[in-house]
Amino acid sequence: IWKLSHGGKDFLQQEREGFLKKELCTMHGETGIGQGEDFRKSEVGTLFYLCHGNEKVVLIGQFTSKAEPCEKGDGWLQRQYRVLKEGVKEGGYQGSKKGWTPNYNSTFKPIGTQDLPEFEANLLKPFFGTDLAELAALSGEPGKEQAFPDMETKVLPDKPVATCINRIY
């Protein structure tokens, strides 16, 4: 899961509202520390939470398209998404400052495995009223496969390919 910020520096309020209505997220493809490239390379199905800087934590979404040039022009990229959860708490985030938190000056940052308990306790539960287990269930909801035509489907064999043996010496 990633943080995606549509901060006030790059977006007018009416632009943010327009992107929300169209279920589009956007960012510039050229950033000094490669965040635009990460946004471009993230797979369809990737989860993210959208914030407007530290003004508001808006939603949790899941990419349903690959990155493409944005109507904003000049190197901006956009992606379609589906909403998994809407934000339920007003106001900014007051917890620790890390690359993935709303109060940190970053645009697209992953939440590391070691930070998932903190993310769940300080962001998911208070701002979305959910936890990691529910989020996992929502992101893999049966019947939603049609929403991701670009995703590769993997077929698993009926029988195990190899017998695994764990030995501790």
Side-chain angles (χ1 to χ4, degrees):
I1 187 163
W2 294 70
K3 165 202 177 177
L4 176 61
S5 180
H6 285 176
K9 178 181 159 197
D10 293 316
F11 299 92
L12 301 172
Q13 183 62 30
Q14 68 187 44
E15 280 184 302
R16 290 188 220 180
E17 290 170 8
F19 288 129
L20 286 172
K21 279 184 182 177
K22 296 175 187 175
E23 293 187 343
L24 285 174
C25 53
T26 185
M27 74 173 288
H28 201 276
E30 306 279 329
T31 62
I33 53 176
Q35 293 176 64
E37 189 62 23
D38 290 340
F39 180 79
R40 180 183 295 115
K41 288 181 176 179
S42 291
E43 295 182 24
V44 170
T46 296
L47 301 180
F48 66 94
Y49 80 88
L50 177 66
C51 59
H52 291 162
N54 198 30
E55 296 170 31
K56 184 175 182 182
V57 179
V58 183
L59 60 82
I60 297 174
Q62 187 173 37
F63 293 142
T64 59
S65 74
K66 294 180 179 181
E68 59 189 24
C70 179
E71 61 190 49
K72 205 168 160 67
D74 192 33
W76 286 84
L77 300 170
Q78 68 184 24
R79 297 184 77 150
Q80 198 74 43
Y81 65 88
R82 71 178 180 123
V83 177
L84 299 181
K85 278 294 216 184
E86 298 277 346
V88 296
K89 180 181 177 183
E90 292 296 319
Y93 173 82
Q94 301 303 316
S96 64
K97 232 179 189 180
K98 296 186 176 183
W100 56 266
T101 60
N103 60 351
Y104 192 88
N105 188 21
S106 62
T107 304
F108 193 64
K109 288 295 248 184
I111 300 161
T113 305
Q114 72 282 2
D115 289 327
L116 287 175
E118 182 180 353
F119 170 70
E120 182 177 52
N122 298 334
L123 214 77
L124 276 184
K125 289 180 179 178
F127 284 90
F128 297 104
T130 192
D131 57 22
L132 289 168
E134 182 184 10
L135 193 56
L138 289 171
S139 67
E141 199 171 355
K144 292 290 184 184
E145 292 80 19
Q146 311 85 325
F148 306 105
D150 296 339
M151 287 183 75
E152 184 180 312
T153 304
K154 294 181 182 175
V155 178
L156 298 175
D158 292 336
K159 296 178 184 177
V161 177
T163 305
C164 296
I165 300 172
N166 290 331
R167 291 189 180 150
I168 301 172
Y169 293 99

